Amino acid sequence: MTAQVDYLVVVFTATSGASGDLLGSDEKELVQLVWQLVDVKNKKLGKVNELLIKPDLSDLTEEKEEEDVVEESVEQENGSGADCVYKAPSVDKALNMFHLQLTNEVNSAGAGTSVCLCTDGQLHIRQVIHPEAASKNILVPDCFYSFFDLRKEFKKHFPAPDLKALNVHTMAESLSIPVDVPTMWDPSATPDPSVPLPAEVATQQLQVMSSVVLALLSEPFCHTFSNPERVSEKFESGTCKMEKVCDNTVIRARGLPWQSSDQDIARFFRGLNIAKGGVALCLNAQGRRNGEALVRFVSEEHRELALQRHKHHMGNRYIEVYKATGDDFLKIAGGTSHEVAMFLSREDQIIVRMRGLPFTATHEQVLAFFSPEDELKETCPVSGGKDGILFVRYPDGRPTGDAFVLFACEEHAQCALRKHKEILGKRYIELFKSTAAEVQQVLNRYSSTPLISVAPAPLMPVLPTVSLLPPPGGVRDCLRLRGLPYTASIEDILTFLGEFTQDIRPHGVHMVLNQQGRPSGDCFIQMTSAERALQASQRLHKHVMSSQRGANSRYVEVFPCSAEEMGLVLMGGSLSHTHTHTHTRSRSGTGLSPPPCKSRRLSPPSYSFTPAPPVLPPEAAAALYPPIGQVVLAPRPLPPGHAYYPASAQLYMNYAAYYPSPPGSPNTLGFFPSPSSIASPGGLVRMPGLTYNSNGVKELINAVQGYQYAPEDAFMHAHGPVHTHDPTRTLLTQPKEWVCI
């Protein structure tokens, strides 16, 4: 509309809540609608009409409410200054009544047919009428989709720095219009705009607005009302090109229902103009919607109005609205590939996302899923046939189980959505209404980065390139039990072994615990010979073990292994799971893997061995060692000539427990076994701070159990002569295979 209109309809609204600049920000209902017809050509004013609307939540005072109650009264009777007063029981009837009365008045005037609304600012149309109509699923008359903003029209003749600073009172003063109403309400003087507007003020505001319009139409301004504001009737879906997006036009909506579509989000922001393809639903790391969306508006003004809808409701949920940047929007909606562009080139198509497809699904199967040959089932043809189906694949071409399908109309799309969780092949299929931005986002996510973020690089690359495997040819005189019930005890293991219990070495049962100190389902057992270990594995492999402390029972895998392999696992590594019953092993699969596990020494109750007391009390252990969570310690240079690492190597040690491992578990304390061909000189270990009430050499021997040493190598001293009952300082000679950490 570029030419001058024949009639202007000056409109003013009021809600049961805030007014002024906060009008419509609190989701309150429309309660008053006042309008006056202005003859642009003849510069004449029509009568003032007032429409009172009863809110839905108000208490009914009458037993029976009439459908359409139209009452006319004179100015003296109603006291609001309106010539005609109408009453309506609901918003939808009020809007229809407004359109009907306006049409009758224009037809009776007979001076033209083109009509356009005129309001004081954007709030009355964009923030009051359209949002409430959308929330109540009310069809708005066509006249509410175009209007003139009186402030912008006034600004063309009187430049103002900010439109928010303008109001009817300011415009009337600038045009030297006398305000005859003594109770004229000045919004700038109102201390609290959240206070509801008095009923009589709406009519007074309307009369002053009409005077401003007549002044602009008259000399010397001779203003022409053309190019009105437009309200988008429908959200246009489409692709987002990789172009610069202004930061002042994007918002982030949070708290959306997971099944909401781009049309639902556009309905929430009804009255505000969203750019084409300007709704981008965000997905989480698993490719599912996370309840957030980025919305791009056509201008900064509409973005500011959208921010006023913070914590407005979509159904029963309130939606949080925050500012976002153009880069945020492009990360979600940008990056259209050629395949996606071709798929989305058909506009006005409804997109449905399929999730959970069999990896072998074909185009024909998808077409048959939506258009079955069975006449009893609903048929919803896919738009374009095979061209209307887009399978989502990984970069190597493997299917992901997702696909997008196009439908020509809403009716076909709704028919397709009713097939939610129907069976295709042997799997049920999930169906969701989707958007063009979601298609781009899913394709970009699968084709560029994995859905689950990659774990950080392992610790091992920083260690020297030393073989992590036990030396080949070791004596396989140990057993590894895998798949134990988590409630299994030492008695359950001995019962499971049966006659092989007598072949267990003293202190030879080692339960493997996870980092939380709970059973991991693995156990190592040291046998007296490799022959008995082989016989036990052959006879007990995949037999069922029952637990006395639980009703669960599981079959247990039994493998022979060496002491070096057992030590590797108990010190934080893991063996390859490629063992078979034939006891062949793939060396390429063996290696260390975090997190470290603990070893727990268990002995059969029939043994007469006295368990050794712990090396350190809990307080001393906590002071000496860091928490278990601190897996990686500060690097420490090793002395030259060490048997395990080069002189320049840095050692990162994972502490497996607060006490040494028992005999043979492992036979060396380092991560990597020492080659037997390399000689290493003995050494001394200084142990300061021992308790004065210790039992001398006997207690030290118990403390260092599991290490290879000679008892005669231990001696004590106390600043001179050796006093076995006063061990404040102790020295131990270190044999070649004893690594002190």
Side-chain angles (χ1 to χ4, degrees), residues 320-386:
E320 301 175 3
V321 182
Y322 303 99
K323 294 181 179 180
T325 64
D327 292 338
D328 295 337
F329 183 81
L330 288 177
K331 289 178 182 178
I332 302 299
T336 304
S337 63
H338 177 70
E339 183 181 16
V340 179
M342 292 297 295
F343 178 76
L344 299 175
S345 60
R346 307 177 184 88
E347 297 186 358
D348 298 330
Q349 301 284 333
I350 309 300
I351 306 174
V352 173
R353 180 180 180 182
M354 305 180 69
R355 192 166 65 195
L357 287 169
F359 294 145
T360 58
T362 62
H363 291 83
E364 290 77 11
Q365 291 177 322
V366 174
L367 292 175
F369 177 79
F370 289 109
S371 300
E373 297 180 358
D374 189 355
E375 297 180 356
L376 299 178
K377 294 185 178 181
E378 291 184 294
T379 299
C380 35
V382 176
S383 177
K386 294 183 179 181

Side-chain angles (χ1 to χ4, degrees), residues 674-688:
S674 172
S676 57
S677 59
I678 301 180
S680 177
L684 296 177
V685 175
R686 184 181 182 185
M687 304 173 66

